[in-house]
Amino acid sequence: MNKIKIGVFLLLMIGAGTLSAQTIIRGKIVDAQDGEPLIGANVRIENTEVGTVTDWDGVFRLETELNPPLTLILSYVGYENMKVNYAQNDPPLNIAMNSQSINLGSVVIKSERLTEKQKTAPLTVESLDLNAIKETASTNFYDGLGALKGVDLTAASLGFKIINTRGFNSTSPVRSLQIIDGVDNQAPGLNFSLGNFLGSSELDVRKVDIIVGASSAYYGPNAFNGVISMETKDPFFHHGLSAYVKGGERNMLETAVRWGHVLRNDQGDAWMAYKMNFSFLRADDWEAENYNPVFDTEAGVGNPGGYDAVNIYGDEYYPGNDLTTAPPWRFVGMGIWHRRGYKETDLVDYDTKNIKGNVALHFRTNPDAEYLSPEIIVSSSLGNGTTVYQGDNRFSLRNILFLQNRLEFKKKDKYFLRAYMTIDDAGDSFDPYFTALRLQEQAKDETTWSADYTNYYRSNYAKKPVELGYPELQIDVDESGNIITSFDRDAAQMWLDANQDLLKEWHQNAQTAANQPSPVNNGSKAFYEPGTDRFREVFQRIISRKSNSTEKGTRFYDKSALYHLHGEYKFEPTFLKSWTVGGNARQYRPDSDGTIFYDSAGVTLTNFEFGIYSGLDNKWGNREQWTTTLTMRLDKNENFNWLFSPAASVVYQPKDNTYLRLSFSSAIRNPTLSDQFLDFNVGRAILSGNLHGVDSLISLDSFDEYRKTLETDKLSYFSIDPIQPESVKTVEAGVRTSLWNKWYLDAGYYYSIYNDFIGYKIGLKGTFDAQTGLTDELQAYRYSANSTNQVTTQGASIGLNYYLNDVLALRGNYSWNKLNKAFEDDPIIPAFNTPEHKFNLGVSGRKMKIPSLDLKNHQLGFNINYKWIEGFLFEGSPQFTGIVPTYDLLDVQINWNFINLNTTIKIGASNVLNNQKFQTYGGPRIGRLGYITILYGN
């Protein structure tokens, strides 16, 4: 292995020229009006071809063998060219460029900026910069990410949004990594992020990058389908007061404030800066009211005995309530019947609240070097709130708490050493589905309820069908004395079809009777009617008790934590552009007191993992038009073997504004804490992790065959191997180019190969009476498991921007994603849950002036985005599987900037046409959310 790595390293060095730089010029370029960094500005030494471009922070570094004094030529699309003189030993340059103005009738247009870094990236990268964050057509910047090319955004509730790329979408986004300033934003007990619910205040977000596809080699384990990378504002560059208040439909009120300040030493150098953030949101969440039958259920809407509705819990199919296999002359009209359940709206708190706070201290260890100085950062963030989360069930997250502390020492683009810890607290969160079952158990167990139902129906209606014309079983004796039976099945079905209303009345009466105290069980009680005092008393008792074997409630207890250490150093040898080495280690400490994991009765769980990586980056060719990268990463989890994640890419720049890319990337995903340690009783089944494997489970198909005859020899058994990591490898090709200074095109194609998919297998454990064949004990289990099939996917995307002038722009993007083979007979392959086709169309304008109205200190802007998403089958748990129909959304906003007041008013609406549609099956219909925002500051 070492010989291979050394060989590849040497190959990258071939063709690289040796530099003998004598002069290093550093500086930063910003917009003269608002001080924002100019990303991708060109810096060139006059009368030479030696040059570079600025990075995300507007910073550049230029090496040359020429001796000062030198003249630099600065250029940027939409800005006036500049010349700047550089003398020997000059400090880093601080340069402000003035934007050009173009008069179009009565409207003055300012420049639109393109990012050079995004053009040259070897992977597909979608971004929102600071201006795009401010001007998004959606209600907030996080929702605005859904308008980016190749990005799927799903709303499970107002407070919980999920971002996914390239298929296998899930409301538990364990295959995506979300980081804020390099810090993993996941809740430790869940192993994924709750969208931006526990993330960053919008006032403090500087930019967002979405790295699409497999990225473990660059970002470590779990960067499986993509990375959402947020960068917050540096208080050295973004200081002063910013604040906004936003009000809107659904009683929404959101406020936020940010304060940043810089302290200087006696020499006038900035040595410390700090920032403080606080935000608050409250709104009435959308309510989940899907009362259609569960997908593939045994009974539909017209069934007289009721059916299993999506957002009603406790009405699920129960084998003891099914007499469809009985002879048609017995139990006439009973068929399948369902117990009365509880609507989600009877159980869930839809009063969404969210509080986020952050304090960060930044210290420069060498203040006179300004932004080139090493920096120490001490930061603490807190999130708290109430929302609805959808996983295997819908969960009411109430008063959840998220605390994250970070300590970092870094020098930009050179090295960093970062340590952080994250602690979560589930607060008063509970499972509404399991709560519904507990409420029913408090009244009657399933067997007693079913017996009361059957007894009432037979006592009152057993003879009624025949009296009303239902055919009877005919019994005759032939000449030989043999008994002959006959039954008119066609007439029976005709009678049932003609008397559906009567059968519904009989079933309703039977259900009403069964919901009363049992005449044969003195310990039973009547159904707990929502809204009554007796309901509220029992409901509060259930959700206040822990969901474990001792307290038998439905409240989660989760005070899990993770501890992380990450270091990286970037070398700049003369024969390479850069050589990066790094490593990280992480310790998980789950703590659920038996409500989620098997950590009760004194059992303490931990999980440790670490990884090392190295990356080489080189430019070569006579114009340095070729860029090659190679990254290699090794990861080890204490419970699994070593995992290798390589990546390599080639980017070719045939001309200044065109980039062709070809890349190979890979990703691995270690099983989550739930995959390893889960022990969660949801009433009808126990959800279990699978660290050690499982033996002798009864298959569901064979149990169905057994039920028909009670012959135990029809039962078949199977075993499950211990859970293992899953992996993906992706090849990607693409092009990015600017045409005629008006068009920007970004197109790409990918092909991915997945192995060892992590999913679930369901089986039964039971004991049976040797004489009768009846079950003595029976329990359903769902275990984490790997698929043995290899899955391939492919897709393509194209984005096209047209700049009518410097700020008026049209844009559009289209994405295609395809699962090449579904393996319908494989229960492990997770649902693709992704539309095959989707597109966005938009138009925007920024910093528009209207001289004819003499509004010199005013600027107008607007943004309109139309999204179309093809319908698809969303496969979650059996309760939450169904068709998400094709839908479209229109987001609109207009903003008015009062320059002299440093204030912007923004009016808009997401889904302005109020096209109420499901975005995830089992979730609510998402409608319009109109708003008005008043923003002060930058």
Side-chain angles (χ1 to χ4, degrees):
M1 178 66 73
N2 289 333
K3 291 181 178 179
I4 294 174
K5 293 181 183 177
I6 293 171
V8 174
F9 181 87
L10 292 174
L11 283 174
L12 277 181
M13 294 192 293
I14 294 175
T18 301
L19 300 178
S20 178
Q22 299 170 344
T23 303
I24 299 177
I25 306 171
R26 296 181 174 90
K28 181 175 183 178
I29 303 177
V30 299
D31 184 304
Q33 180 178 351
D34 58 20
E36 294 296 332
L38 297 187
I39 306 163
N42 294 298
V43 182
R44 180 175 57 84
I45 298 176
E46 189 175 34
N47 299 323
T48 75
E49 296 300 319
V50 179
T52 187
V53 295
T54 56
D55 65 12
W56 286 106
D57 296 311
V59 173
F60 67 88
R61 182 179 185 273
L62 180 60
E63 297 185 9
T64 178
E65 296 180 354
L66 300 174
N67 295 318
L70 300 169
T71 300
L72 303 180
I73 305 297
L74 312 179
S75 62
Y76 195 64
V77 176
Y79 284 74
E80 298 173 356
N81 290 344
M82 290 182 63
K83 288 186 177 183
V84 175
N85 294 323
Y86 178 80
Q88 185 73 40
N89 298 323
D90 273 357
L93 302 172
N94 287 303
I95 303 165
M97 295 184 70
N98 293 307
S99 58
Q100 297 173 334
S101 295
I102 300 177
N103 287 294
L104 297 177
S106 61
V107 182
V108 178
I109 308 299
K110 290 284 186 176
S111 65
E112 174 89 14
R113 303 200 288 262
L114 294 176
T115 63
E116 198 71 18
K117 183 175 181 180
Q118 184 174 338
K119 291 181 183 179
T120 58
L123 300 176
T124 299
V125 180
E126 298 297 316
S127 300
L128 284 183
D129 64 10
L130 192 58
N131 285 325
I133 289 171
K134 292 179 183 177
E135 299 164 5
T136 178
S138 301
T139 309
N140 56 67
F141 83 95
Y142 203 84
D143 288 5
L145 296 172
L148 299 178
K149 173 169 56 65
V151 176
D152 296 306
L153 184 135
T154 302
S157 64
L158 191 147
F160 181 44
K161 311 294 175 63
I162 306 103
I163 288 181
N164 192 72
T165 62
R166 293 189 177 173
F168 302 108
N169 195 1
S170 168
T171 52
S172 299
V174 294
R175 291 181 173 88
S176 296
L177 174 66
Q178 181 167 295
I179 56 177
I180 301 177
D181 293 328
V183 176
D184 193 340
N185 189 229
Q186 70 168 271
L190 295 174
N191 284 160
F192 58 83
S193 300
L194 289 170
N196 196 44
F197 194 72
L198 302 174
S200 181
S201 166
E202 183 166 325
L203 279 179
D204 197 40
V205 178
R206 181 177 174 271
K207 70 183 181 73
V208 184
D209 293 333
I210 296 184
I211 298 89
V212 179
S215 307
S216 279
Y218 304 98
Y219 292 93
N222 306 329
F224 199 78
N225 275 10
V227 179
I228 303 105
S229 176
M230 302 184 203
E231 183 179 310
T232 64
K233 296 176 180 176
D234 188 329
F236 279 111
F237 300 104
H238 298 269
H239 38 79
L241 177 66
S242 298
Y244 71 76
V245 59
K246 179 189 300 182
E249 294 180 287
R250 309 200 65 80
N251 293 315
M252 180 180 68
L253 174 64
E254 183 176 3
T255 61
V257 61
R258 179 185 186 275
W259 170 253
H261 188 62
V262 177
L263 302 178
R264 299 182 180 275
N265 58 23
D266 294 340
Q267 290 73 41
D269 298 323
W271 68 274
M272 176 189 173
Y274 65 89
K275 63 179 179 181
M276 296 182 290
N277 288 280
F278 177 82
S279 67
F280 170 80
L281 164 70
R282 76 132 334 262
D284 298 335
D285 208 336
W286 289 289
E287 299 180 0
E289 297 177 306
N290 183 352
Y291 302 133
N292 295 323
V294 167
F295 186 77
D296 234 5
T297 190
E298 297 288 336
V301 173
N303 181 54
Y307 61 93
D308 179 8
V310 174
N311 291 129
I312 297 179
Y313 312 134
D315 62 347
E316 290 73 36
Y317 172 81
Y318 178 62
N321 297 345
D322 184 354
L323 291 175
T324 55
T325 59
W329 54 87
R330 299 187 62 196
F331 310 112
V332 177
M334 291 202 71
I336 299 173
W337 65 97
H338 290 258
R339 191 168 181 176
R340 179 183 174 184
Y342 290 90
K343 295 180 179 179
E344 181 177 300
T345 53
D346 296 329
L347 306 171
V348 169
D349 183 357
Y350 289 112
D351 185 10
T352 292
K353 295 185 178 70
N354 187 206
I355 295 174
K356 288 180 281 196
N358 166 264
V359 175
L361 308 177
H362 293 236
F363 303 90
R364 286 178 175 170
T365 61
N366 185 16
D368 60 352
E370 297 186 340
Y371 50 83
L372 298 177
S373 169
E375 196 169 316
I376 297 173
I377 302 172
V378 182
S379 175
S380 184
S381 300
L382 179 144
N384 172 258
T386 294
T387 189
V388 179
Y389 152 66
Q390 182 170 329
D392 295 305
N393 291 340
R394 299 263 295 172
F395 298 98
S396 182
L397 303 184
R398 302 199 309 171
N399 303 318
I400 59 173
L401 181 65
F402 179 86
L403 178 64
Q404 195 162 64
N405 297 316
R406 163 186 165 218
L407 175 63
E408 183 169 354
F409 178 59
K410 71 173 186 175
K411 185 175 183 181
K412 189 170 181 61
D413 297 325
K414 190 64 177 177
Y415 59 77
F416 67 81
L417 181 63
R418 179 185 304 131
Y420 60 88
M421 64 172 290
T422 307
I423 299 174
D424 63 23
D425 186 339
D428 302 313
S429 302
F430 68 95
D431 180 349
Y433 173 84
F434 198 15
T435 300
L437 301 187
R438 291 291 198 202
L439 283 164
Q440 290 177 328
E441 290 172 3
Q442 291 289 312
K444 289 182 183 180
D445 62 72
E446 195 72 45
T447 302
T448 301
W449 187 90
S450 182
D452 288 348
Y453 192 106
T454 304
N455 291 336
Y456 180 90
Y457 192 98
R458 296 192 65 191
S459 298
N460 290 275
Y461 309 121
K463 299 179 181 180
K464 290 284 186 182
V466 173
E467 295 173 2
L468 296 173
Y470 189 83
E472 294 185 85
L473 177 69
Q474 302 298 315
I475 303 176
D476 295 314
V477 179
D478 64 11
E479 297 175 352
S480 302
N482 298 317
I483 297 176
I484 301 174
T485 62
S486 64
F487 184 78
D488 191 342
R489 293 177 179 269
D490 291 338
Q493 188 60 51
M494 289 179 61
W495 188 93
L496 292 173
D497 292 341
N499 289 275
Q500 287 291 295
D501 290 339
L502 180 62
L503 291 174
K504 288 180 181 179
E505 179 183 338
W506 292 353
H507 274 282
Q508 184 59 53
N509 293 338
Q511 185 186 91
T512 300
N515 285 337
Q516 299 303 313
S518 174
V520 295
N521 186 337
N522 294 330
S524 66
K525 301 178 180 63
F527 178 82
Y528 289 95
E529 190 70 39
T532 63
D533 290 339
R534 62 189 296 269
F535 169 85
R536 283 188 288 268
E537 179 184 351
V538 175
F539 175 73
Q540 289 298 327
R541 184 168 67 244
I542 291 172
I543 67 172
S544 63
R545 293 177 177 176
K546 294 178 185 176
S547 177
N548 56 24
S549 58
T550 303
E551 298 188 23
K552 299 186 181 302
T554 59
R555 180 173 69 87
F556 299 125
Y557 176 92
D558 181 17
K559 294 188 177 181
S560 300
L562 70 81
Y563 306 90
H564 190 95
L565 180 65
H566 187 183
E568 181 180 289
Y569 194 91
K570 183 178 292 186
F571 299 92
E572 296 181 356
T574 57
F575 48 80
L576 284 173
K577 180 184 177 183
S578 66
W579 172 27
T580 303
V581 296
N584 64 271
R586 174 174 294 184
Q587 176 83 26
Y588 287 102
R589 192 206 66 195
D591 180 10
S592 75
D593 195 21
T595 65
I596 302 173
F597 308 114
Y598 56 79
D599 57 350
S600 59
V603 175
T604 300
L605 300 175
T606 61
N607 190 239
F608 179 72
E609 61 186 29
F610 66 94
I612 54 175
Y613 60 92
S614 180
L616 308 175
D617 186 359
N618 196 27
K619 284 184 175 290
W620 48 284
N622 57 353
R623 294 187 296 107
E624 294 191 341
Q625 70 270 36
W626 292 91
T627 301
T628 55
T629 62
L630 174 65
T631 303
M632 296 166 288
R633 182 180 178 97
L634 281 170
D635 285 284
K636 180 71 174 72
N637 184 290
E638 65 174 292
N639 292 324
F640 309 105
N641 293 327
W642 284 92
L643 299 170
F644 180 48
S645 304
S649 69
V650 176
V651 178
Y652 174 59
Q653 185 181 3
K655 58 182 183 178
D656 287 347
N657 294 321
T658 300
Y659 302 84
L660 306 176
R661 68 185 188 275
L662 177 66
S663 67
F664 165 81
S665 59
S666 59
I668 55 97
R669 183 174 79 85
N670 285 317
T672 64
L673 297 180
S674 293
D675 292 329
Q676 299 179 59
F677 308 121
L678 185 66
D679 184 21
F680 185 32
N681 190 330
V682 294
R684 301 268 165 85
I686 295 176
L687 314 184
S688 295
N690 179 23
L691 193 57
H692 305 293
V694 185
D695 291 324
S696 303
L697 287 174
I698 302 169
S699 70
L700 298 183
D701 289 341
S702 71
F703 185 75
D704 284 341
E705 292 300 317
Y706 150 82
R707 288 178 57 239
K708 297 175 183 177
T709 63
L710 298 183
E711 297 175 9
T712 56
D713 58 356
K714 293 185 179 294
L715 296 172
S716 63
Y717 295 81
F718 67 98
S719 299
I720 306 175
D721 292 331
I723 194 72
Q724 295 296 321
E726 60 183 2
S727 64
V728 60
K729 297 177 177 62
T730 299
V731 176
E732 180 177 344
V735 58
R736 300 181 180 100
T737 186
S738 299
L739 303 171
W740 309 294
N741 214 29
K742 291 286 186 179
W743 296 87
Y744 174 58
L745 171 71
D746 186 354
Y749 168 84
Y750 73 90
Y751 189 91
S752 296
I753 301 172
Y754 295 82
N755 288 292
D756 299 316
F757 254 126
I758 295 176
Y760 309 103
K761 281 188 176 180
I762 300 174
L764 304 171
K765 291 183 180 180
T767 58
F768 302 86
D769 186 279
Q771 300 299 321
T772 65
L774 295 171
T775 57
D776 292 328
E777 294 181 359
L778 187 69
Q779 178 63 59
Y781 286 87
R782 191 197 72 179
Y783 286 98
S784 300
N786 295 94
S787 171
T788 57
N789 290 308
Q790 185 180 82
V791 181
T792 63
T793 65
Q794 61 178 325
S797 62
I798 182 170
L800 188 63
N801 290 14
Y802 175 66
Y803 300 95
L804 289 83
N805 42 62
D806 281 353
V807 294
L808 285 176
L810 302 175
R811 64 184 180 275
N813 62 65
Y814 163 79
S815 301
W816 171 67
N817 294 281
K818 180 72 172 178
L819 177 64
N820 293 328
K821 188 174 180 181
F823 293 101
E824 295 180 358
D825 59 341
D826 188 343
I828 301 300
I829 299 300
F832 197 55
N833 289 351
T834 302
E836 183 171 355
H837 305 282
K838 63 177 181 288
F839 66 82
N840 288 273
L841 296 173
V843 58
S844 64
R846 72 169 53 157
K847 296 184 179 179
M848 297 184 297
K849 289 188 175 181
I850 309 179
S852 61
L853 297 180
D854 194 27
L855 299 176
K856 296 180 180 180
N857 292 317
H858 296 211
Q859 291 179 339
L860 290 176
F862 69 91
N863 199 343
I864 301 172
N865 190 80
Y866 172 80
K867 175 190 295 184
W868 181 89
I869 296 178
E870 185 181 34
F872 60 96
L873 175 63
F874 186 95
E875 297 178 80
S877 66
Q879 186 78 14
F880 301 133
T881 292
I883 298 294
V884 174
T886 297
Y887 66 93
D888 54 0
L889 302 172
L890 181 65
D891 297 342
V892 177
Q893 70 87 8
I894 184 169
N895 59 81
W896 191 305
N897 182 17
F898 300 84
I899 299 174
N900 55 338
L901 299 177
N902 198 21
T903 299
T904 300
I905 296 178
K906 179 177 175 180
I907 300 175
S910 60
N911 192 8
V912 67
L913 301 180
N914 201 28
N915 186 14
Q916 298 187 10
K917 294 292 183 180
F918 301 116
Q919 295 185 20
T920 177
Y921 204 78
R925 291 178 174 87
I926 307 298
R928 183 184 61 231
L929 189 59
Y931 62 90
I932 179 170
T933 303
I934 301 175
L935 167 67
Y936 173 81
N938 296 319

